[in-house]
Amino acid sequence: MAWSIAPEPFDSAVAAALWRAYYTEVSDRWYLLHEGHRTDPADLERAVAAASGAELAPPRGQLLVARYAGDPAGSAGVRLLDPATAELTRVFLHRNLRGRGGAALLVAAAERAARALGARRMVLDTRGDLVEARALYARLGYTETEPHNTDRYAEHWFRKDLGVQPDQAKGRFNPAGTGAPLPGSRP
């Protein structure tokens, strides 16, 4: 099976379904850890409605959707915080597709999108209980750093210098990088 990653409108049905899955998983995980129960469905609906994703729209942001064998599998968002700094957000893969290289491909595509927006560095935050996410970011060259926001749930902050890539210098964004099959794709 092969991965593909492409920009997606933040308000598409595909984005909405992926974000609902993302919010359900991270919210349930937090509530189960701290309060011993899953997220109240009404609370989840309010949270999903409050986070439209509009900040991930061009020209200051980009939402990317990964597909595995053509089916939506995950997402990653990038938004400019300032002209040189982009934030990586909403990185998610469906649980049954993890361990197949998709997360690293999504983050690499997000880094290319950030460069295309003019960013020279990427920052992100995550929670302490999301140990898999922290391990992924460390493996991909992100270093833990000082806080860059005051998000209630943020417990760890990361940064990576992006440098300049050929696509950035030419002012265009190619989420796959070359148009060739994505590295790490499996037949």
Side-chain angles (χ1 to χ4, degrees):
M1 298 293 170
W3 288 100
S4 64
I5 298 173
E8 179 82 22
F10 75 91
D11 56 355
S12 74
V14 167
L18 287 167
W19 287 344
R20 180 169 303 287
Y22 165 78
Y23 280 120
T24 299
E25 182 174 331
V26 297
S27 182
D28 279 354
R29 193 164 173 171
W30 190 89
Y31 276 104
L32 286 168
L33 178 66
H34 296 282
E35 297 186 12
H37 63 83
R38 294 191 181 282
T39 309
D40 176 89
D43 289 343
L44 180 66
E45 290 307 314
R46 281 190 291 278
V48 169
S52 73
E55 72 278 8
L56 303 179
R60 298 192 44 85
Q62 184 71 68
L63 172 66
L64 302 168
V65 166
R67 286 179 167 76
Y68 188 74
D71 294 326
S75 65
V78 175
R79 68 183 180 136
L80 286 177
L81 299 179
D82 63 51
T85 308
E87 181 180 39
L88 179 62
T89 185
R90 300 190 191 196
V91 178
F92 171 75
L93 275 180
H94 284 295
R95 184 178 305 274
N96 65 322
L97 295 171
R98 294 177 189 162
R100 299 179 189 200
L105 295 173
L106 261 172
V107 172
E111 290 171 359
R112 287 189 293 278
R115 286 185 197 101
L117 293 170
R120 294 187 309 271
R121 70 187 140 283
M122 184 87 85
V123 297
L124 63 94
D125 66 69
T126 192
R127 296 190 329 231
D129 63 308
L130 300 176
V131 294
E132 305 90 343
R134 291 182 11 237
L136 170 72
Y137 300 133
R139 188 175 78 243
L140 297 177
Y142 286 79
T143 56
E144 200 152 353
T145 187
E146 71 283 344
H148 65 269
N149 63 27
T150 57
D151 185 287
R152 172 182 172 193
Y153 298 105
E155 297 172 315
H156 297 270
W157 294 263
F158 290 83
R159 173 189 167 136
K160 182 177 181 180
D161 291 327
L162 299 176
V164 176
Q165 299 296 311
D167 281 353
Q168 180 184 9
K170 295 176 187 172
R172 61 177 196 240
F173 168 59
N174 176 354
T178 64
L182 292 169
S185 296
R186 296 187 180 174

